[in-house]
Amino acid sequence: MTIRPATTADIPALLNLLKNVIPLMHETGNFQWDDHYPNETVFGNDITKAQLWVADIDGQLAGVAALTEDQEPEYAQVGFDLSQRAVVTHRLAVDPAFRGQGVAVALLEQAEQLALERGIKFLRIDTNSENQGTQKLFPKLGYQYAGEITLGFRPGLRFLAYEKKLN
């Protein structure tokens, strides 16, 4: 598996990943993503900002994550100090065909590597309250549950925020 920056050539595979992932999310009651978000424009903006990373397994796009320093203002709801720099993982997804192969772990390790390279001490992430998989994964990787938040751009949904402090 290779973790690398995404390019515009990856957009068709990213849109295909969404087609594979979103129905499974909805089956479990997780409506964090839909036909409108994320989309080609969102991924294109991430690529332009050099903050979208993909997991490539044998030439196939297995997963994606936007690794940014953009913190949602709502993170203050759980006491995160938004003046602290943090690498924040957004839009984390693994193609169902590659589940169980460590793709999400590798993408989250890339977030940690970026933080270390940039001298940043905090990793932050949030997930839909219905996403049981990530709620099990994040603590295994050293993330501490910080509390529940709402996000203005996804009204009516509940999210759980997590943070990992690096030494």
Side-chain angles (χ1 to χ4, degrees):
M1 177 181 344
T2 303
I3 304 298
R4 61 170 175 77
T7 68
T8 53
D10 292 314
I11 288 179
L14 289 164
L15 296 177
N16 191 58
L17 180 139
L18 291 178
K19 280 192 250 177
N20 295 335
V21 168
I22 291 173
L24 295 177
M25 293 171 76
H26 290 187
E27 283 176 18
T28 63
N30 178 356
F31 297 98
Q32 181 172 356
W33 290 2
D34 55 29
D35 293 339
H36 306 289
Y37 177 87
N39 57 46
E40 183 173 351
T41 302
V42 170
F43 286 139
N45 289 339
D46 285 336
I47 291 167
T48 299
K49 294 177 184 175
Q51 63 188 22
L52 195 67
W53 295 78
V54 294
D56 185 303
I57 297 178
D58 298 327
Q60 296 206 315
L61 195 138
V64 63
L67 306 177
T68 80
E69 290 188 43
D70 302 329
Q71 300 185 70
E72 303 298 341
E74 293 90 346
Y75 280 4
Q77 295 170 12
V78 292
F80 289 167
D81 180 350
L82 302 184
S83 69
Q84 295 170 325
R85 285 178 70 200
V87 170
V88 183
T89 301
H90 298 283
R91 296 177 281 291
L92 174 66
V94 176
D95 189 290
F98 295 96
R99 288 204 175 141
Q101 296 183 37
V103 175
V105 170
L107 288 162
L108 290 167
E109 287 173 348
Q110 180 64 37
E112 191 164 334
Q113 183 62 38
L114 287 175
L116 292 170
E117 289 171 8
R118 296 174 185 175
I120 296 173
K121 300 287 184 199
F122 297 94
L123 298 170
R124 294 181 177 149
I125 195 166
D126 64 80
T127 189
N128 185 276
S129 60
E130 301 304 314
N131 191 334
Q132 302 299 318
T134 53
Q135 291 172 43
K136 291 177 184 157
L137 175 63
F138 298 157
K140 286 181 187 174
L141 298 177
Y143 286 79
Q144 302 291 317
Y145 173 69
E148 188 175 304
I149 62 171
T150 56
L151 293 173
F153 75 101
R154 300 306 282 162
L157 300 178
R158 297 173 20 244
F159 296 86
L160 308 178
Y162 293 81
E163 179 179 72
K164 181 175 181 177
K165 291 183 184 177
L166 302 176
N167 296 326

